[in-house]
Amino acid sequence: MTKASVNLQDLRRRIYLKAKAEKSWRFWGLYVHVCKMETLREAYTLAKQNDGAPGVDGVTFEAIETQGVDGFLEQIRDELNQRNYVPLPARKQEIPKDGGKVRVLSIPAIRDRVVQGALKLILEPIFEADFQPGSFGYRPKRTAHDAVDRVARAIVQQKTRIIDNRPAQLFRQCPARSAVGEGGEAG
């Protein structure tokens, strides 16, 4: 008897439910799902939606689509299955900031973004199951506006206790101040 193929959405849901139901469960055998064409195709679609710049290899989405997306994804799948996939170095791009400073962006190649996206698609449901409902940072279908709305509702409900957890304040109150200088730096 052969088991029917589980589509990506169903797989992600099953992983989430298992992680939610059994907190101590250790997942194994997930790599095969990362290497599936369905997962890689969805990861490519998500990467393309961001429409980022090319990485160090100079390959663009237009070039990939001209040569064929399926061939591009099959090459990635084969490298992953043969365990000889090696990510390329990220391209560094400096963005000027105020005061003469620069912010350095690291731009991965599209092929690496696809692999990262495939890993995210498979691993995200495991971690998502552990998050608290009030956690908003870097979570799917949650925005900064949702976080602000949650705070506004809490204020209306008079849930206004504030906990100050700034490290500088913590170290100023620390009895071993001789080992830690002002501003929380070891000295």
Side-chain angles (χ1 to χ4, degrees):
M1 178 179 193
T2 59
K3 191 171 182 179
S5 173
V6 178
N7 73 29
L8 182 59
Q9 185 175 355
D10 288 341
L11 173 67
R12 286 171 48 85
R13 184 74 183 147
R14 287 181 183 189
I15 291 171
Y16 173 83
L17 291 173
K18 185 68 170 179
K20 194 73 169 169
E22 298 182 41
K23 299 285 184 195
S24 62
W25 182 262
R26 296 293 174 246
F27 289 88
W28 56 275
L30 296 176
Y31 187 77
V32 68
H33 298 296
V34 172
C35 302
K36 287 182 178 178
M37 283 298 287
E38 180 182 9
T39 307
L40 294 170
R41 196 169 285 114
E42 178 65 17
Y44 177 83
T45 300
L46 293 171
K48 189 172 187 310
Q49 285 175 356
N50 285 337
D51 195 33
V56 71
D57 59 358
V59 176
T60 64
F61 286 105
E62 294 78 25
I64 293 167
E65 296 194 1
T66 299
Q67 294 176 355
V69 174
D70 284 342
F72 173 77
L73 296 176
E74 287 167 3
Q75 180 182 353
I76 293 172
R77 181 201 56 204
D78 293 346
E79 288 179 28
L80 289 169
N81 283 332
Q82 294 166 9
R83 309 283 173 122
N84 61 11
Y85 170 83
V86 178
L88 296 171
R91 180 169 66 90
K92 305 294 184 201
Q93 179 70 43
E94 292 184 350
I95 306 295
K97 290 178 62 176
D98 291 339
K101 296 181 181 179
V102 295
R103 176 177 171 212
V104 179
L105 295 180
S106 293
I107 303 170
I110 293 172
R111 67 190 299 273
D112 297 334
R113 283 182 247 168
V114 170
V115 173
Q116 291 168 6
L119 286 164
K120 177 183 176 285
L121 285 168
I122 300 304
L123 295 176
E124 182 177 60
I126 297 168
F127 294 102
E128 188 64 28
D130 286 339
F131 280 119
Q132 296 295 318
S135 299
F136 287 87
Y138 303 102
R139 293 186 63 197
K141 299 178 185 169
R142 293 181 182 233
T143 67
H145 294 293
D146 295 333
V148 170
D149 290 344
R150 171 107 185 218
V151 169
R153 284 194 307 274
I155 290 170
V156 168
Q157 296 169 352
Q158 296 183 345
K159 296 179 181 178
T160 57
R161 181 174 292 174
I162 297 171
I163 299 171
D164 184 356
N165 65 352
R166 291 177 292 174
Q169 297 299 324
L170 177 84
F171 287 120
R172 284 191 185 102
Q173 298 169 7
C174 182
R177 254 170 69 179
S178 61
V180 179
E182 285 296 314
E185 296 176 0

